[in-house]
Amino acid sequence: MAVDAVLGYSATQEGRDLLKPTDVVKRLLRAMSDPEISYEAVAALVNLSTETLFLRAILDLNPVDRIMENLRDPECRQHELDVMLLTNLTQTPEGVSKLLQTENPSLSGLHFLRLVQWFVEPAKRSVNGKVSDRFEHVGHILTNLTGNYRAREMLTDPSRNVWPRVVESVASKNKLRREWAYAAVRNCLFNHAKHEFVTQDDFGLVDNLILPLIGTEEYSVDDRQGMSPALLRVLGKNRRESDPVTVKNILDCMQLLCGTKAGREALRRRKAYPVLREVHLEQTLSQELLDSVENIVQMIALTEEEIEAADRENRDSLIPALEAPAGHDS
């Protein structure tokens, strides 16, 4: 059957049902090596990978190395489709494991770190002046991968020096990049043992969480004392982030930081309290988000001695548990 015909079949449930008894996955993976039909082959694989039967068949034949080679080729026609296929594959623990190369210790993490590098690179401008951002959707893959503790360890490994680059991405002008970067950072913050490292002032994580929450309000001398130059520059003229998804991502990150002494001290040191106080006073967020703000303010307003004195039940009730990264920690 011609690849064009398979692509058509793959686009409908009825067509996919007709393809189930065939070896279509093997044929499409073979077609990925043919420049003449590779685009259509990958498009069909993307459609098929939305169903468990085909997804398992694709993973059994492990096309990850081939997809990564395609992504390295600037002349490859189907970069976007390759990213979509990897996104679908990494929705499963098996796909995450294959992309992290856990079965090959000598290569473990190579693909992952390459994806990180592509994601944090600034978008390039094309000849006609339009921004070419081939790897903005890689953030979705990184979010899937950081559901696995191995990926979180690699991302926050001081010797790899990739964490600062990921933190920079939460301040990207590209909204999609910001959302995926926040999601990956959030996943990494479930590792409490790394809070002292990830919140180092030089990395700017806490500043990048606080800055979008600053509005046009005035702050007292005491409030401004200790704020970084980056925050001081926008006081009184910043437009507070209004997108509820972005605000939730920011507050989730702050809540996770409130789970450790190092995280709480970083929030206090970078002056999160007066900014969150103003956000709460404005009362323009949903009740759920306002409750999150109140919980964070409550934690950082307490001294460490007061937190230590509280019994565990009361202390844990101050910050509701967040849902951990979904099921890839196998």
Side-chain angles (χ1 to χ4, degrees), residues 201 206-207 210-211 213-214 219-228 231-232 235 254 264-277 300:
D201 292 347
V206 179
D207 282 349
I210 296 172
L211 192 149
L213 301 181
I214 293 175
Y219 289 89
S220 70
V221 173
D222 286 343
D223 287 340
R224 296 197 302 269
Q225 187 69 37
M227 281 189 179
S228 69
L231 299 184
L232 291 171
L235 293 185
M254 287 186 172
R264 293 188 295 270
E265 288 182 340
L267 290 169
R268 295 185 190 111
R269 185 173 66 249
R270 308 310 285 181
K271 304 306 289 276
Y273 174 80
V275 175
L276 289 169
R277 180 195 64 211
I300 60 179

Side-chain angles (χ1 to χ4, degrees), residues 101-168:
Q101 301 160 284
T102 57
E103 296 178 359
N104 190 339
S106 64
L107 296 176
S108 181
L110 181 63
H111 289 333
F112 171 66
L113 293 172
R114 185 165 285 147
L115 287 169
V116 172
Q117 184 61 40
W118 287 334
F119 180 67
V120 300
E121 285 180 354
K124 298 177 181 178
R125 291 191 174 274
S126 60
V127 177
N128 61 8
K130 293 183 179 180
V131 175
S132 174
D133 198 346
R134 294 187 297 133
F135 295 120
E136 62 181 356
H137 291 281
V138 166
H140 195 166
I141 304 171
L142 297 184
T143 300
N144 291 345
L145 293 175
T146 51
N148 182 283
Y149 75 92
R150 295 180 183 89
R152 297 197 295 271
E153 285 292 322
M154 282 186 269
L155 209 57
T156 56
D157 181 350
S159 68
R160 298 183 186 272
N161 199 36
V162 293
W163 179 253
R165 302 292 307 281
V166 175
V167 170
E168 289 174 6

Side-chain angles (χ1 to χ4, degrees), residues 36-250:
E36 296 295 323
I37 55 175
S38 59
Y39 184 94
E40 292 75 12
V42 178
L45 287 167
V46 169
N47 291 340
L48 295 177
S49 64
T50 59
E51 293 202 17
T52 302
L53 177 72
F54 291 115
L55 182 60
R56 288 177 178 166
I58 296 169
L59 288 171
D60 285 345
L61 295 170
N62 195 8
V64 168
D65 289 346
R66 191 179 307 171
I67 297 170
M68 291 297 293
E69 284 301 315
N70 286 346
L71 289 173
R72 291 180 67 183
D73 180 4
E75 302 301 321
C76 179
R77 294 191 301 146
Q78 70 268 4
H79 274 118
E80 186 174 347
L81 290 172
D82 284 325
V83 170
M84 292 172 67
L85 182 55
L86 282 182
T87 299
N88 289 350
L89 296 182
T90 54
Q91 299 283 351
T92 67
E94 296 81 8
V96 167
S97 180
K98 289 186 184 300
L99 209 152
L100 291 178
Q101 301 160 284
T102 57
E103 296 178 359
N104 190 339
S106 64
L107 296 176
S108 181
L110 181 63
H111 289 333
F112 171 66
L113 293 172
R114 185 165 285 147
L115 287 169
V116 172
Q117 184 61 40
W118 287 334
F119 180 67
V120 300
E121 285 180 354
K124 298 177 181 178
R125 291 191 174 274
S126 60
V127 177
N128 61 8
K130 293 183 179 180
V131 175
S132 174
D133 198 346
R134 294 187 297 133
F135 295 120
E136 62 181 356
H137 291 281
V138 166
H140 195 166
I141 304 171
L142 297 184
T143 300
N144 291 345
L145 293 175
T146 51
N148 182 283
Y149 75 92
R150 295 180 183 89
R152 297 197 295 271
E153 285 292 322
M154 282 186 269
L155 209 57
T156 56
D157 181 350
S159 68
R160 298 183 186 272
N161 199 36
V162 293
W163 179 253
R165 302 292 307 281
V166 175
V167 170
E168 289 174 6
S169 297
V170 304
S172 171
K173 293 181 180 180
N174 182 318
K175 182 176 181 292
L176 191 60
R177 279 180 172 271
R178 289 200 307 274
E179 288 184 6
W180 292 129
Y182 277 125
V185 166
R186 176 188 184 274
N187 284 349
C188 290
L189 293 180
F190 278 93
N191 188 345
H192 284 185
K194 290 295 182 75
H195 280 192
E196 186 171 1
F197 167 71
V198 300
T199 58
Q200 291 181 52
D201 292 347
D202 289 347
F203 298 155
L205 172 62
V206 179
D207 282 349
N208 278 322
L209 295 175
I210 296 172
L211 192 149
L213 301 181
I214 293 175
T216 57
E217 60 275 348
E218 297 293 328
Y219 289 89
S220 70
V221 173
D222 286 343
D223 287 340
R224 296 197 302 269
Q225 187 69 37
M227 281 189 179
S228 69
L231 299 184
L232 291 171
R233 279 195 295 268
V234 303
L235 293 185
K237 54 188 177 184
N238 196 51
R239 182 176 180 180
R240 181 175 286 123
E241 178 62 63
S242 59
D243 177 59
V245 174
T246 302
V247 174
K248 184 180 187 307
N249 283 331
I250 292 170

Side-chain angles (χ1 to χ4, degrees), residues 311-326:
D311 63 74
R312 177 170 296 276
E313 181 181 353
N314 289 339
R315 183 163 71 247
D316 288 348
S317 69
L318 290 175
I319 295 292
L322 294 175
E323 183 178 350

